[in-house]
């Protein structure tokens, strides 16, 4: 009877795992690519008919919007003190940031007093605070949903003996 060696078994398992993971990865990426292609086509159709309005924009949480801005505006070495307001205005992102400041319960008044002038470091720090506060509120809401229902048991009152 043939008995495989440990090394042969190792390689057999390794290659089998690689093949299965490649197949799963390929199947997952194929399903994700198809919706992206259709959204690109619909966006092109909308742009030719009429410009996309803010009401048509996807609704994102404050944390998600902050994450997008953090990724888009990365701070480079030596650029921490540059004023980002003109660049945000030019790119059309200043309005998004103003809305985030109004909607957020995070206190960023020590970082940004007005949205007319602020440094890249202040902008980045305020986005991090907004994101953390929103994630904290989301976590709190989810934890409240996970709490078991509290059973209200009748409370027995004890009377003090009369002397």
């Amino acid at each position: 009877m043939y008995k495989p060696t440990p090394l042969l078994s190792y390689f057999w398992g390794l290659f089998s795992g690689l093949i299965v993971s490649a197949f799963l990865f390929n199947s997952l990426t194929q399903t994700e690519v198809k919706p992206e292609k259709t959204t690109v086509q619909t966006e092109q159709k909308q742009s030719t008919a009429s410009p996309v309005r803010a009401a048509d924009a996807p609704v994102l949480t404050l944390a998600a919007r902050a994450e997008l801005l953090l990724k888009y505006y990365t701070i480079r070495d030596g650029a921490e003190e540059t004023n980002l307001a003109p660049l945000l205005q030019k790119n059309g992102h200043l309005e998004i940031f103003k809305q985030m400041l109004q909607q957020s319960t995070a206190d960023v008044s020590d970082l940004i007093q007005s949205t007319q002038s602020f440094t890249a470091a202040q902008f980045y720090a305020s986005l991090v605070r907004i994101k953390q506060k929103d994630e904290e509120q989301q976590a709190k809401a989810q934890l409240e949903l996970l709490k078991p229902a509290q059973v209200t048991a009748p409370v027995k009152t004890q009377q003090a003996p009369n002397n």
Side-chain angles (χ1 to χ4, degrees), residues 70-84:
L70 284 170
K71 287 179 181 178
Y72 190 80
Y73 296 98
T74 56
I75 297 179
R76 307 278 189 256
D77 287 338
E80 296 89 358
E81 296 300 319
T82 58
N83 185 9
L84 267 188

Side-chain angles (χ1 to χ4, degrees), residues 19-84:
I19 291 170
V20 170
S21 63
F23 174 77
L24 289 174
F25 179 77
N26 189 26
S27 65
L28 289 175
T29 56
Q30 291 300 324
T31 57
E32 292 176 2
V33 172
K34 290 178 183 176
E36 289 177 11
K37 287 181 181 177
T38 57
T39 56
V40 170
Q41 292 171 354
T42 57
E43 287 175 6
Q44 289 174 351
K45 290 177 184 176
Q46 288 178 354
S47 63
T48 56
S50 66
V52 178
R53 305 204 189 289
D56 297 337
V59 178
L60 299 173
T61 64
L62 285 173
R65 286 183 272 173
E67 184 67 29
L68 287 174
L69 288 172
L70 284 170
K71 287 179 181 178
Y72 190 80
Y73 296 98
T74 56
I75 297 179
R76 307 278 189 256
D77 287 338
E80 296 89 358
E81 296 300 319
T82 58
N83 185 9
L84 267 188

Side-chain angles (χ1 to χ4, degrees), residues 61-161:
T61 64
L62 285 173
R65 286 183 272 173
E67 184 67 29
L68 287 174
L69 288 172
L70 284 170
K71 287 179 181 178
Y72 190 80
Y73 296 98
T74 56
I75 297 179
R76 307 278 189 256
D77 287 338
E80 296 89 358
E81 296 300 319
T82 58
N83 185 9
L84 267 188
L87 183 60
L88 286 168
Q89 181 70 36
K90 177 184 159 195
N91 293 338
H93 298 150
L94 187 61
E95 286 301 316
I96 296 170
F97 184 62
K98 285 181 182 179
Q99 290 172 354
M100 289 173 62
L101 288 175
Q102 292 171 353
Q103 293 173 354
S104 176
T105 58
D107 182 24
V108 294
S109 60
D110 60 328
L111 297 170
I112 296 179
Q113 281 74 27
S114 77
T115 55
Q116 300 306 316
S117 174
F118 48 86
T119 65
Q122 290 171 323
F123 175 69
Y124 191 83
S126 63
L127 286 175
V128 169
R129 275 193 200 168
I130 290 170
K131 180 182 173 194
Q132 287 175 340
K133 186 67 172 180
D134 189 52
E135 288 173 343
E136 177 186 327
Q137 289 175 342
Q138 289 176 13
K140 185 178 179 180
Q142 289 176 354
L143 285 173
E144 288 297 319
L145 293 174
L146 292 176
K147 278 186 180 178
Q150 294 182 359
V151 179
T152 55
V155 179
K156 295 181 181 178
T157 57
Q158 296 180 352
Q159 295 179 353

